[in-house]
Amino acid sequence: MLAFQKKILLTHRYIACYTTVAQANNVFSQKEESMFRALLMVIPCMYLCLVGFLGVSFSEELYIFAGAASKPPTEEAAKVFEKKTGTKVNLTFGGSGFVLSQMTLAKKGDIYFPGSSDYMEIAKKKGLVFPETEKYVVYLVPAINVQKGNPKGIKSLKDLTQPGLRVAIANPDGVCVGLYAVEIIEKNLKADEKAALKKNLVNYTESCEKTATAISLKAADAVIGWRVFQYWDPQRIQTIPLKKEEIPRIGYIPIAISKFTSNRGLAQRFIDFILSEEGRVIFKKYQYFMTPEEAFSWIGEKKPVGGEYTVPAEWIAK
């Protein structure tokens, strides 16, 4: 559609130039001049009709496949970018592994924006992104999220093993926060404690967004999620920090241009906007950590940043 727009505008420009030259050289008859002047009036009307009456859009478009760990600020940033540039931003959210599969199967997409380093590493290994375009946007710390007011009195990871508690984690086979949850459980709980926690699992959620929503809708008493979930829905979600020794690493949200892009320049422009002060302010509003040092300060200890974790087979849903 953008190419069609350009043809309309180029045709208008060509006729305008030709008319000017012809008039200067007196090669027009009165009838011919009237005809060309009519065309100069009709072409802009055609353009406006296509846009206004038929709903045809000639704007450039971006397709972004994003992990839901950045959903609220990314949606807001996309709207600002659309307003600034006239570019239509199409967002597909979900588990980072799941949206990577969607992008791969569709062979379409300008930007991959997963919720953690784990899935960006997979994308790079599979040659699905331009590795030189990767940037780190914000940093995430895993935590326990409970209903506002903490009605179950949950204070620690081991409290999630209490009989009768309803616990949810994201699907570790495709969702970044679920992968981190399994890593934390495996690192910190004994075999009997893991078994007790598994008995309390009521659900594997499909994305970060749905993990947070499990608390908002009281479908679970607790989830192992991101500390930032509290700021997505502060009226219904409360964060209980993990002990600093229980956190194996912090996450970051990377962004890179997809190998399937049809407009690499425009994709880079969106990334530049996300990393600009205007873009960063949006993420700050939702209380994301902008530097590793901010995350370390909240934890009370320096931790490894990013990396990869292989989920044990026993945690993969059959």
Side-chain angles (χ1 to χ4, degrees):
M1 197 60 73
L2 182 63
F4 185 54
Q5 176 202 25
K6 288 179 178 177
K7 287 179 181 178
I8 290 177
L9 297 178
L10 285 172
T11 300
H12 184 265
R13 196 173 301 160
Y14 174 78
I15 292 173
C17 290
Y18 181 81
T19 302
T20 301
V21 172
Q23 286 175 323
N25 290 280
N26 295 313
V27 298
F28 269 154
S29 68
Q30 187 174 358
K31 185 176 180 181
E32 287 172 331
E33 183 174 350
S34 296
M35 181 185 71
F36 274 90
R37 285 190 177 281
L39 280 173
L40 287 173
M41 294 177 65
V42 168
I43 289 174
C45 290
M46 288 172 56
Y47 181 88
L48 291 173
C49 285
L50 284 168
V51 174
F53 295 106
L54 300 181
V56 175
S57 172
F58 295 113
S59 64
E60 293 183 291
E61 295 191 33
L62 273 179
Y63 291 86
I64 300 174
F65 288 82
S70 68
K71 191 171 189 284
T74 298
E75 287 180 326
E76 187 170 331
K79 288 177 183 177
V80 175
F81 186 79
E82 284 183 341
K83 189 173 181 180
K84 286 173 68 74
T85 66
T87 299
K88 169 70 173 172
V89 181
N90 302 284
L91 297 167
T92 298
F93 288 106
S96 297
F98 300 141
V99 295
L100 181 61
S101 296
Q102 286 178 268
M103 186 178 79
T104 305
L105 288 171
K107 297 189 183 306
K108 183 178 183 179
D110 299 291
I111 289 173
Y112 182 48
F113 195 12
S116 79
S117 57
D118 304 78
Y119 292 99
M120 183 61 83
E121 292 306 311
I122 291 171
K124 288 192 288 188
K125 288 174 184 176
K126 291 185 176 181
L128 300 174
V129 297
F130 293 101
E132 68 275 14
T133 67
E134 182 187 8
K135 300 293 181 183
Y136 300 172
V137 180
V138 291
Y139 298 82
L140 297 168
V141 175
I144 298 168
N145 308 107
V146 300
Q147 294 165 23
K148 185 77 171 181
N150 194 11
K152 298 294 182 178
I154 296 164
K155 297 179 181 178
S156 69
L157 180 63
K158 289 189 178 181
D159 283 348
L160 303 186
T161 66
Q162 295 173 5
L165 205 64
R166 298 175 304 152
V167 179
I169 66 170
N171 188 341
D173 186 25
V175 186
C176 57
V177 75
L179 183 151
Y180 273 72
V182 169
E183 184 177 7
I184 288 164
I185 292 167
E186 287 289 330
K187 177 182 183 294
N188 295 289
L189 297 185
K190 299 174 184 176
D192 60 329
E193 292 169 332
K194 284 193 293 181
L197 189 150
K198 281 187 173 183
K199 283 184 181 179
N200 289 340
L201 284 178
V202 294
N203 197 14
Y204 266 4
T205 58
E206 299 169 3
S207 68
C208 288
E209 178 190 13
K210 291 184 178 180
T211 308
T213 300
I215 295 298
S216 292
L217 299 182
K218 298 185 178 181
D221 300 312
V223 300
I224 301 176
W226 298 122
R227 160 247 177 215
V228 77
F229 284 172
Q230 174 177 332
Y231 303 99
W232 291 10
D233 187 2
Q235 299 304 313
R236 293 184 287 185
I237 300 177
Q238 182 175 331
T239 291
I240 307 298
L242 291 161
K243 296 176 182 177
K244 59 185 179 183
E245 60 270 18
E246 292 175 335
I247 300 174
R249 59 190 173 116
I250 67 168
Y252 60 79
I253 297 182
I255 192 168
I257 298 176
S258 164
K259 286 285 184 72
F260 302 114
T261 185
S262 59
N263 194 333
R264 184 166 174 173
L266 187 60
Q268 185 61 57
R269 190 175 176 188
F270 181 83
I271 292 176
D272 291 343
F273 170 72
I274 287 290
L275 297 173
S276 72
E277 188 55 35
E278 187 175 4
R280 288 168 64 83
V281 163
I282 297 171
F283 280 84
K284 287 178 183 178
K285 185 172 83 172
Y286 291 92
Q287 301 297 314
Y288 284 76
F289 292 128
M290 308 310 294
T291 65
E293 289 70 30
E294 288 180 7
F296 301 154
S297 177
W298 188 81
I299 295 168
E301 186 174 280
K302 190 173 182 178
K303 293 289 179 179
V305 180
E308 296 177 84
Y309 176 74
T310 301
V311 177
E314 64 186 270
W315 288 93
I316 305 299
K318 297 293 191 281

